[in-house]
Amino acid sequence: MDNKMIYEAAKTGNPSSTYAQNAVLRNTYILLSMTLLFSGAVAGLSMALNLPHPGLILTLVGYFGLLYATSKFRNSGLGIVCVFALTGFMGFTLGPILNAYMSLANGGQIIMNAMGATGLIFLGLSSYVLTTKKDFSFMGGFLAVGILVGFLAAIGAYFFEIAALSLAVSAMFVLLMSGLILYETSNIINGGETNYIMATTTLFVAIFNLFTSLLHLMGFMNDE
């Protein structure tokens, strides 16, 4: 069943809509697993080759450009290509960051702790929504404003080199990305999100930012 068929079925309000929502959820988790593995492989290759970080400007241009392309082609096979390009690019930008942590005395432990915490948070929040089927759609406006404020604060912390603000932004993004996982999972099971490519993209971005934010906070707590 393609995205258009899933979308039409989800709108009918009959038993087939439940099948459609389950199909979106199943396809989302399959694609999410594949993109996480692909992004991790690209990050590992970037680390092995010791590639430099592309910098803030190129990172933002690449991220938003590929995000736009993914959204534009979300109802076609090209959307799959775009989502892998996006997640691969994010893995590429992550490699140099992980190399910087690996150069620290306990960098490997920090990375593993952040990865473990990310996995536990994602699984815990997802399981909660899937079990209770609670509707978190009311969080949409709050999350949109919060992410925008956090994004602008992160840019300010980067250019003005304000360490305290940078830590505050990381803590803020841990909460925001946790909320985004609740919101998007709820959207999928309640029929608010009918496109598994966009659902995958949203959840991947939430996991990626949750991991990097936890990495930053744990590095600070370990005096690194």
Side-chain angles (χ1 to χ4, degrees):
M1 178 178 286
D2 60 24
N3 288 334
K4 185 176 181 180
M5 293 172 64
I6 290 173
Y7 174 71
E8 292 299 327
K11 293 194 299 180
T12 60
N14 58 38
S16 65
S17 66
T18 300
Y19 171 80
Q21 290 157 14
N22 290 338
V24 173
L25 183 65
R26 181 181 64 253
N27 291 340
T28 296
Y29 282 157
I30 291 173
L31 184 57
L32 180 62
S33 299
M34 294 171 65
T35 53
L36 285 171
L37 289 173
F38 178 67
S39 183
V42 174
L45 181 62
S46 178
M47 293 176 68
L49 297 177
N50 199 26
L51 298 177
H53 194 277
L56 178 63
I57 302 300
L58 288 178
T59 297
L60 292 178
V61 170
Y63 170 72
F64 284 109
L66 290 169
L67 187 62
Y68 171 79
T70 302
S71 178
K72 180 177 177 61
F73 298 107
R74 64 186 180 274
N75 292 315
S76 70
L78 192 55
I80 299 290
V81 177
C82 291
V83 77
F84 273 99
L86 172 63
T87 55
F89 176 76
M90 294 176 75
F92 162 69
T93 64
L94 181 62
I97 297 174
L98 296 180
N99 265 344
Y101 277 88
M102 287 300 294
S103 66
L104 305 174
N106 60 340
Q109 181 180 352
I110 295 173
I111 292 173
M112 294 305 297
N113 288 343
M115 189 178 300
T118 301
L120 288 175
I121 291 172
F122 175 75
L123 291 175
L125 294 176
S126 298
S127 298
Y128 173 74
V129 178
L130 293 173
T131 301
T132 64
K133 300 190 184 303
K134 186 174 180 179
D135 186 0
F136 286 94
S137 59
F138 65 90
M139 297 176 63
F142 168 77
L143 288 171
V145 173
I147 291 171
L148 177 60
V149 171
F151 175 72
L152 294 175
I155 291 178
Y158 176 84
F159 282 109
F160 295 105
E161 298 182 354
I162 305 174
L165 179 58
S166 180
L167 288 170
V169 168
S170 292
M172 181 180 180
F173 264 90
V174 168
L175 297 177
L176 287 171
M177 294 304 105
S178 297
L180 187 58
I181 292 170
L182 289 173
Y183 172 80
E184 189 62 17
T185 306
S186 170
N187 260 357
I188 295 170
I189 65 173
N190 290 302
E193 177 59 82
T194 59
N195 187 288
Y196 70 90
I197 291 177
M198 293 312 299
T200 297
T201 302
T202 301
L203 289 176
F204 181 93
V205 169
I207 292 170
F208 183 92
N209 284 303
L210 179 60
F211 171 68
T212 54
S213 297
L214 287 171
L215 191 63
H216 185 199
L217 292 172
M218 289 182 179
F220 173 77
M221 288 187 291
N222 281 271
D223 296 324
E224 299 291 357

